[in-house]
Structures are given as C-alpha cells and as structure tokens.
Amino acid sequence: MKRVSRRSFLKGVGAGAVAGSALCAGEAHAFRIARTPEAPNAEREVPSFCELCFWNCGLVAEVRKNRVLSLRGHPQYPSAQGRLCARGNAGAAFLGDEDRLKYPMVRVGERGEGRFRRVGWREAYQTIAAGFAKIKSQHGAQALALFYHGTGGPLLRSMMVAYGSPNYVGPSYAQCKGARNVGYKITFGEKLPSPEPLDFEKTRCMVFFGSHLGENAHNSQVQEFVRARARGARLVVLDPRLSTVAQKADVWLPVKPGSDLAVILAWIHLLLAEDAHDRAFVEKHCLGLEELRAHVAALTPAWAAEQAGVPERDLRAAYAHIRDSMPAVLVHPGRHVSWYGEADTQRARGQAILTALLGAWWAPGGLYRPEAPQVADFPGPDYPDLPKDVDQAAGRFPFAQEVTTNGVRDATRTGRPYPIKGWFVHGTNLMQSMPHVRETREAIAQLDLLAVCDVQPTEITRWADVLLPEDLYLERYDDLLLGSGKAPFIGLRQPAVKSPHDTRPAWRIAKELGTELGVGDYFAFSSFEEYLETRLSGSGTSLAQLQKDGVFLSPRKAPLYLEPGEEFHFHTPSGKVELFSPQLATAGFDPLPTYRPQPEPHPGSFRLLYGRSPLHTFGRTQNNPILFDLDSGNSVWLNPRAATRLGVGDGQPVLVRNARGDETGPLPARVTERMPEDAIYMVHGFGHRAPGLTRTNGRGGDDTAVIESYAVDPISGATGMRTEFVTLHPMATGAGRKT
Ligand SMILES: Nc1nc2c(c(=O)[nH]1)N[C@H]1C(S)=C(S)[C@@H](COP(=O)(O)OP(=O)(O)OC[C@H]3O[C@@H](n4cnc5c(=O)[nH]c(N)nc54)[C@H](O)[C@@H]3O)O[C@H]1N2
Ligand SMILES: Nc1nc2c(c(=O)[nH]1)N[C@H]1C(S)=C(S)[C@@H](COP(=O)(O)OP(=O)(O)OC[C@H]3O[C@@H](n4cnc5c(=O)[nH]c(N)nc54)[C@H](O)[C@@H]3O)O[C@H]1N2
Ligand code: SF4
Ligand SMILES: [Mo]
C-alpha cells in the first residue's frame, strides 16, 4: 500500500538511511521538501493563507533562502485554528515541481492539441488585447466572458467589468452552492457565506444531508465537528452511501438518492402535528405557517419512509434527536448541492424551513449571524453601465444570484441570446468542473479567443490560444481575504518565496493587461503594497501589522444571535421569514417545497454519485508530488450484490460508461456494503487527460467525463449533476491503463 510505503519512507528519512534509487518519483520529490531532523533551520517565518481550497486557512511558512521548508496552521486564523489539512501541508511541493507552467505561451497547433510557443508577457498581453478589441468592436463587450475561481479572480473581474462585460462566472455558484444560497435567500432574505455560519460550539444535534465531513476536509469545520461530537452533540446523517461521517452518526438514514426532501417534510409534519415547533419564533417572524401545515398534513413518516427507502422507526428516532435538542440544532445547509436541478433549491427551502421551525436561525447551537470585516475600496473611475448578462437577456433563472457558467457556455455554443466570442479563464478547469464536456468543446469551437491563466498544465490549458502562468500562492500577493464568521477577520496573502520562473501574480496581470485594454485607470497603484495599504485605511490594522501577524480579528458590531422577541426586518419581500413563498408562486414555482421522486436507473445501470477525497481538492492537487504519493487514484464504489451480478471482484479494473458511449477508467472496483445497489460512487478530480501532469495523467477515472445528462434548475440556474445513469464494464485483472 502506498500509504504504508510512505510512512516507512519518512521513518527512514528520519534515520538518514534511505537510498534515493529505491524511491519512486513522487517519494523522491517529497524527500526534497520534507522537513527532516537534519534539515536546516528556517531563517524567517512568513504568515499567509492557503489556496489549495477555498477554506483559505491561515498558514505560517518556514523559509530559508528561496525555499519553503514547511507549512503549518496559523494559530489565530478562525479557519485554521493552528492546523492545516493534508493538502495544505503538502502545498510547498508545488513550488519546485517541474510540471508547473513557467512562462507565457501562445498556441501553435490546433486548439486542444497542447502545442505552444514561448513568448514574452508583452506579446501575450498584446495578443489578448488585440483579440478582445476586435470582438468588442464586432459584437460589443458583452461578447466577452470571464470564468474564475480563486483569490486572484476579483481583480480580473474588475478588469472585465471596466472593459464593459457583464458575464463573469464561477463554477462555485452553478456547480456548487448556488441552489442553497437561493433557497436560503428566498426563505430568510440572506444567502449563506463561506465558511457556513454553523454554531458547532453550542450545538446539541447536527443534521447532515450529504455534507460528507472528513472526506470533505474543510479544516475548521472538521475540527469543530469533532469537538462537538466529543462533547456529546448528537448526529443525524442522510446519505445513500455510508460515508465517513455517516459511520459516526447516532442515526444514519441511507436515503434513496434525491429523497432527502421527503424526510424533511415528514419531520416538519411531526413538528407541527406535535406542536413542538418554536412557536415564539414562528409567530413573531414567519409567514405562511397555515399553508405549510396544510401542505405537510398528509406527508407522514410512513409515507416518507417509503419514499426514501428507510425504516420508519429510524426516521422517527432521528426526529426525536432533533426535537429534543431544539433550538440548538445545526441543520447543515450543504455546500455542493447541485445534485438534481430544481429539486435542489426546493430541498434547500426544506432545510431552511426546518431551521426556522426549530428556532435555530441565528440561535445558539444552530446557525449564528455571520459578520464580515469592513475595508475601503481602492479609488478608481466609476464602472460603465453594463449590458444585460446572458441569463438576464435570455429571461431565465429569475432568482439566480450570479451569472451562470452554463448560461455563458450555452450562449457561446448557440449564439443566443447573443454571441460570446472571447473567454478569459482563471483558476478553473472547465473540462472537469462543468458537466457535459462535449458542450464545453462545442462552445470553445465558437470562440475567436481563449485566454487561460493557470499554474499547471491541466486540461483547459491545452485549449488556450494564449496561456498565462500565474505565480503560485506562496509566491505572490493577492487581494485581502475578508473572512466572515463569528469573528470577522482580515487575512493577508504575501509572498514567502520568489517564483524561479517567468510567472506573474493575478493582480499584476489585471493591471498590465488592463492597461493594454485601455482600462489602466482602474488600477492606478504603483505597487500592490500601495493598493493593500489604501484598502486597509480605517480598518483597524495596517499592511505592516498584517505582514507581521498575517491576520487581524476585527471586533464584531452586531450580536451573534437574534434575541428572543427582538424586532428584525428580514430581507424578503414581506420582511418575514417566508415559509410559504409568494415570490416563488408569482414566478410559477412551488411556493412550498414539494417532493418529487427522482427517476430510478434502468435495470443494469447505476446512478453516478461522486464526492471528495480528504487528500485532494477537485482536480487541482492530484499531480502534487506528495499528495500523488499518498492518494494516486480513485475507485468505483459498488454494492456486493451488484458486483456479483456483473461478475466484478473487489479490486478488478472496470470502465464506467454512459448511454452515449463516453467512457472513463479503467479504475478498480471497491466492492462494499457501504453502497446501495442502484448507485455507484467515485471521488471527483481523477482521470486526468493532460500529458503535462506527468504523475497523475491517465490515473483513475473522471466522473465529469461521463456526466452528460444534467438538470438545469430553472430557479437558481445551477446544474444538477447526479442525474447520470452509467453502466460498468469489467476488464481482465491487470489490464493496462488507457492513456
Ligand atoms: N478534501 C476536500 N474537501 C473539500 C473539497 C475538495 O475538493 N476536497 N471541496 C470543497 C468544496 S468547494 C465543496 S462544495 C465541498 C463539497 O462537499 P459536500 O458539500 O460535503 O458535498 P456533498 O455533495 O454534500 O457530499 C457528497 C456526499 O453526498 C452523498 N450523496 C449523493 N447523493 C445524495 C443524496 O441524494 N442525498 C444525500 N443526503 N446524500 C447524497 C454522497 O454519497 C457523498 O457522501 O467540499 C469542500 N471540501
Ligand atoms: N463532476 C463533478 N463536477 C464538479 C464537482 C464534482 O464533485 N463533480 N464539484 C463542483 C464544485 S463543488 C466546485 S467548487 C467546482 C470546482 O471547479 P474548479 O475550480 O474548476 O476546480 P479544479 O478542477 O480544481 O480546477 C482548478 C484549476 O485552477 C488551477 N489553479 C490552481 N491554483 C491556481 C492558482 O493559484 N492560480 C491560477 N490561475 N490557477 C490555479 C488548477 O491548475 C486547475 O486548472 O467543480 C464543480 N464541478
Ligand atoms: S482546508 Fe486544507 S486545502 Fe483547504 S485551505 Fe485549509 S489547509 Fe488549505
Ligand atoms: Mo464547491
């Protein structure tokens, strides 16, 4: 086993007894950056924050010369609490990786072929600026779109907005938490921030729908969950798969995929039937109790148990835990919720309504009231009036809070409601993060210009016309981190080391390319230190202080909880918590969440479910030398009876195929009772088809490669992606892997 070999390897390093020749490439690399007892001492410590996922934990880098010796969690950062997760710990291994992007390039071969010529930054900028100017003159600035995900994105967004484009989009909305934010906004008038404002400290009962903590390794959330559980807080988990967190639950409900709402409605039925809901909160703050009561009258536990395929007594036992813990019940709103389309906003509505009835909104042990710190804007000209974005122009997604990646992709493919001809892609690998890869390719084929800014040669970079290499997060400044939570905080990203290559940070690209595009006035700072210092004026801290401390905890202004009886105007049309939603009714949607079962897979096929490895983030860490060494491929989780029917043994290589014939794999079957019979499960992010990622290329399977059917939620615009049915095809054990 890899893990064992690595552990013994590290022990060997400690004893100074490992022969380099005995190591695989990943281990050898790990050795170069591992902190060993013989390693030299650090010359300095640089506080900053992690970018390997968007929890953005504070870190402290131990640095000697131009080398990061180790990373550790920042003790004062609320998101880190003194620790980094495995991914964060391994971050420094990216720095010396020969696979990283090293200089700007322009395409010489066909798009998608990955053949490029090295150029200077000036030529790269001029090529993009000329392409964008041509598109703007022919089609208007709305024909340009920015896809972004990461801390560098907002400055590039300023550049695009200044240039006149309204189409800036991220997969973190439409492929992640969009439907949740819309569901909570419709109900409470507030979307939920990241980190989610979950009061683990005071909770008596936690309820998770999916939310596979421990595999989902959001650092402080995992630590707080562990402390809550150790303190005796109860735990209810709904998940068709026996996830890591489900294994720790008081009650695990192995619901049929997509049936969570039936269970929620039955719990609401019980709360109202027993008159156990928080009457004071509901009377003072909520709209539509009587409509809700009528709506759930027939939705009994027996009905829900049947719909969800779980024992009624377990559903009732879970309810009893919840009721007996009121109001200190933490109903996790979920994060990756783009599962089944419209049902996702409706499920989020169900979770929000349950939270309201429990009196757990802005209440101890439920959801607390988050607060973000205040900083100044950097002064600049007013932004131009923007044309309608593609979704507004098409009159779709009336409740969407952001423009959708899928909306921009559709407009690019079809030219409707208007053509999109240029994309700037920063920090998102659209080939893996958006379902239906063929549609992404069709869209790219319509582009006059595709510029990509990345740090490593992932799939999307192969399609670029111009490829800009960014500094790694340990080498650059970024905009301030405005951390929301119990304690609002300001975090600083600052360089720990200097890039050894011809790479640049996003802020500099925004300023320099912006200048080339004629919008340099928006970036009128002579250094990024000046920009940061200006933004920090009046914030209670300074750049010098942040450079030293890394983080500033600013005092809260509003109380953490809503006081019983306190007047509060919710930001909904009625000013109340809308259990019944008149605005959904007006727009033609169910004003109360209505459960509709998901279709069952055809005989012989499986619903494809997916999730996280604690050792990887999406598709961005598989090639990291240390993380590759620790977890170098995924498997297909499959129920033993299904495996017997197919004649698949544990560990046997299989291909995963959809109805269209798209395939991924081979990857080993993991035959386990932890799966239901009609679904399979894969960790997302493997199965790379990018030769430049020399370690991970071709390893494992890519769920996205076989997700063709996806369900667009007409309310939020998000794409449900657990709607794909696939078949499994065993291969002879030891079959070679496809490249
Ligand atoms: N290590 C690591 N941690 C991460 C990330 C990462 O890439 N790596 N990414 C971060 C990001 S951006 C996000 S959005 C989150 C995503 O992580 P979560 O928000 O936890 O994602 P979910 O989709 O809720 O969880 C996946 C679980 O849902 C279960 N599931 C599938 N279908 C259903 C269903 O119909 N009902 C129920 N109740 N469960 C179902 C699956 O079996 C699986 O256990 O993770 C974050 N944390
Ligand atoms: N099938 C399927 N699709 C999914 C998901 C899933 O579980 N299954 N998860 C969804 C979720 S929850 C989310 S949030 C999205 C995530 O979607 P993405 O954010 O697109 O995630 P990645 O695939 O990791 O792509 C990240 C890209 O950014 C690059 N990168 C990393 N660091 C930097 C940096 O510092 N600067 C720059 N410029 N580039 C950088 C990486 O090399 C990589 O090319 O995917 C969504 N799509
Ligand atoms: S959870 Fe892990 S990968 Fe994410 S920011 Fe924190 S340390 Fe980095
Ligand atoms: Mo996400």
Side-chain angles (χ1 to χ4, degrees):
M1 283 227 341
K2 275 281 170 200
R3 206 170 286 210
V4 175
S5 83
R6 179 171 160 75
R7 213 179 285 134
S8 47
F9 158 70
L10 286 176
K11 223 165 89 202
V13 170
V18 166
S21 61
L23 306 175
C24 81
E27 286 170 333
H29 192 100
F31 175 59
R32 279 206 297 280
I33 72 114
R35 191 76 217 283
T36 66
E38 309 85 71
N41 290 329
E43 290 166 346
R44 58 204 165 92
E45 295 198 333
V46 183
S48 187
F49 65 88
C50 183
E51 184 78 357
L52 295 192
C53 86
F54 300 107
W55 214 243
N56 290 139
C57 299
L59 60 79
V60 179
E62 287 189 54
V63 183
R64 187 180 172 89
K65 298 207 166 61
N66 200 36
R67 193 174 142 206
V68 174
L69 302 176
S70 80
L71 300 172
R72 63 171 193 272
H74 194 300
Q76 268 91 45
Y77 252 86
S79 51
Q81 306 180 3
R83 292 191 165 94
L84 298 176
C85 79
R87 300 165 291 161
N89 272 307
F94 279 116
L95 291 167
D97 186 1
E98 277 305 306
D99 283 353
R100 61 184 283 196
L101 296 177
K102 296 175 181 149
Y103 37 76
M105 290 184 272
V106 297
R107 175 168 66 86
V108 292
E110 291 300 310
R111 276 209 188 117
E113 239 179 49
R115 288 201 296 129
F116 296 95
R117 148 178 89 80
R118 179 176 183 168
V119 296
W121 280 91
R122 200 171 165 70
E123 183 179 342
Y125 290 145
Q126 283 172 345
T127 311
I128 298 172
F132 277 14
K134 193 161 168 224
I135 293 167
K136 188 172 174 175
S137 71
Q138 287 177 349
H139 305 278
Q142 74 274 17
L144 296 168
L146 170 71
F147 291 80
Y148 67 122
H149 195 191
T151 312
L155 276 146
L156 292 161
R157 182 180 64 205
S158 297
M159 177 189 83
M160 295 297 270
V161 171
Y163 198 57
S165 170
N167 292 310
Y168 42 87
V169 296
S172 52
Y173 176 78
Q175 281 72 46
C176 180
K177 51 192 164 1
R180 162 196 103 179
N181 283 355
V182 169
Y184 277 70
K185 168 90 181 141
I186 288 171
T187 314
F188 290 110
E190 312 258 340
K191 69 173 194 177
L192 294 169
S194 166
E196 292 78 24
L198 310 175
D199 198 5
F200 284 102
E201 222 178 315
K202 295 213 166 80
T203 193
R204 298 180 58 209
C205 179
M206 303 172 277
V207 189
F208 292 171
F209 304 89
S211 294
H212 58 330
L213 283 195
E215 293 163 282
N216 159 354
H218 275 164
N219 184 356
S220 54
Q221 202 172 102
V222 176
Q223 296 186 52
E224 287 168 8
F225 163 78
V226 169
R227 285 199 293 270
R229 200 63 184 129
R231 194 168 49 65
R234 305 173 209 207
L235 176 63
V236 172
V237 176
L238 281 71
D239 195 317
R241 181 181 68 106
L242 183 62
S243 62
T244 301
V245 79
Q247 286 177 318
K248 304 187 186 317
D250 294 299
V251 181
W252 166 47
L253 296 176
V255 291
K256 267 190 211 160
S259 66
D260 301 65
L261 182 57
V263 175
I264 296 171
L265 291 169
W267 288 341
I268 294 176
H269 167 101
L270 286 170
L271 272 174
L272 296 181
E274 292 180 2
D275 231 7
H277 62 286
D278 184 331
R279 285 195 298 282
F281 181 87
V282 172
E283 272 160 35
K284 180 141 192 75
H285 296 299
C286 297
L287 178 85
L289 179 67
E290 289 321 309
E291 288 93 334
L292 177 64
R293 200 187 285 282
H295 182 70
V296 298
L299 308 182
T300 61
W303 165 81
E306 167 82 29
Q307 295 299 321
V310 296
E312 183 183 338
R313 64 169 188 285
D314 292 351
L315 188 151
R316 285 182 179 273
Y319 168 75
H321 284 305
I322 293 169
R323 181 200 55 208
D324 296 348
S325 310
M326 278 177 62
V329 183
L330 185 162
V331 177
H332 199 305
R335 186 180 181 101
H336 174 70
V337 296
S338 35
W339 298 354
Y340 305 103
E342 184 168 354
D344 300 328
T345 298
Q346 294 295 1
R347 184 180 63 252
R349 284 265 299 141
Q351 289 161 277
I353 291 169
L354 179 64
T355 302
L357 295 182
L358 295 168
W361 179 255
W362 291 357
L367 301 188
Y368 65 80
R369 181 181 192 169
E371 196 170 294
Q374 299 291 320
V375 295
D377 286 336
F378 190 82
D382 287 342
Y383 286 103
D385 288 337
L386 296 177
K388 284 185 173 170
D389 66 58
V390 282
D391 294 333
Q392 289 168 338
R396 62 191 168 214
F397 316 144
F399 295 92
Q401 290 163 359
E402 296 179 21
V403 195
T404 62
T405 45
N406 29 303
V408 168
R409 185 177 68 178
D410 280 348
T412 314
R413 278 170 57 227
T414 64
R416 288 190 305 273
Y418 53 72
I420 300 248
K421 289 291 177 188
W423 287 4
F424 193 107
V425 177
H426 176 263
T428 169
N429 184 9
L430 300 177
M431 295 299 172
Q432 273 196 335
S433 53
M434 293 193 70
H436 206 320
V437 183
R438 207 173 290 108
E439 288 187 349
T440 309
R441 286 204 213 104
E442 282 168 21
I444 290 175
Q446 298 300 318
L447 293 175
D448 293 342
L449 185 76
L450 172 55
V452 176
C453 176
D454 207 295
V455 292
Q456 48 180 348
T458 49
E459 286 77 1
I460 187 68
T461 64
R462 298 170 62 75
W463 296 84
D465 299 317
V466 183
L467 187 47
L468 305 178
E470 192 175 358
D471 285 347
L472 288 167
Y473 70 104
L474 294 165
E475 299 166 337
R476 67 186 196 226
Y477 275 114
D478 267 317
D479 210 341
L480 297 169
L481 175 63
L482 304 181
S484 127
K486 282 192 174 173
F489 65 96
I490 304 173
L492 178 70
R493 156 106 14 93
Q494 60 180 331
V497 290
K498 223 171 134 334
S499 168
H501 306 294
D502 189 14
T503 56
R504 290 185 184 174
W507 67 261
R508 188 169 165 194
I509 296 171
K511 180 176 164 66
E512 292 172 345
L513 178 57
T515 303
E516 204 67 53
L517 290 167
V519 296
D521 292 358
Y522 292 82
F523 306 96
F525 43 83
S526 52
S527 69
F528 205 60
E529 284 90 343
E530 180 197 333
Y531 172 91
L532 294 169
E533 192 72 86
T534 309
R535 291 206 71 193
L536 286 167
S537 60
S539 69
T541 188
S542 65
L543 181 59
Q545 197 63 42
L546 278 182
Q547 283 168 328
K548 191 162 136 295
D549 299 340
V551 65
F552 171 70
L553 298 174
S554 72
R556 273 190 79 93
K557 297 204 173 66
L560 205 49
Y561 309 115
L562 204 60
E563 289 301 315
E566 185 183 331
E567 294 300 328
F568 189 79
H569 184 92
F570 289 86
H571 298 143
T572 55
S574 64
K576 299 273 184 196
V577 176
E578 297 195 344
L579 307 176
F580 177 93
S581 170
Q583 54 171 343
L584 277 178
T586 308
F589 300 110
D590 290 333
L592 285 161
T594 298
Y595 172 67
R596 293 184 186 85
Q598 292 298 315
E600 304 276 337
H602 329 293
S605 68
F606 302 89
R607 185 182 294 279
L608 173 60
L609 306 180
Y610 53 80
R612 305 283 177 248
S613 155
L615 295 166
H616 288 292
T617 303
F618 323 119
R620 63 179 65 197
T621 53
Q622 284 73 12
N623 202 53
N624 173 293
I626 294 177
L627 297 173
F628 172 79
D629 187 20
L630 292 173
D631 182 8
S632 59
N634 54 355
S635 54
V636 174
W637 295 44
L638 162 77
N639 177 278
R641 283 168 298 287
T644 306
R645 275 200 302 278
L646 288 171
V648 173
D650 189 46
Q652 187 171 347
V654 294
L655 291 172
V656 182
R657 190 178 295 156
N658 64 16
R660 171 92 186 207
D662 302 320
E663 253 177 25
T664 193
L667 67 173
R670 173 171 179 177
V671 178
T672 169
E673 290 287 354
R674 292 169 65 181
M675 282 306 288
E677 272 186 68
D678 58 354
I680 60 161
Y681 175 85
M682 289 164 70
V683 164
H684 168 70
F686 286 97
H688 280 286
R689 293 286 179 269
L693 302 176
T694 56
R695 295 172 205 89
T696 193
N697 186 43
R699 298 278 186 138
D702 175 12
D703 52 340
T704 309
V706 288
I707 300 181
E708 181 178 44
S709 83
Y710 62 95
V712 179
D713 171 9
I715 307 177
S716 71
T719 57
M721 307 190 288
R722 290 190 179 149
T723 43
E724 185 67 55
F725 298 142
V726 293
T727 51
L728 289 188
H729 304 272
M731 301 175 75
T733 306
R737 63 189 165 92
K738 285 207 312 190
T739 48

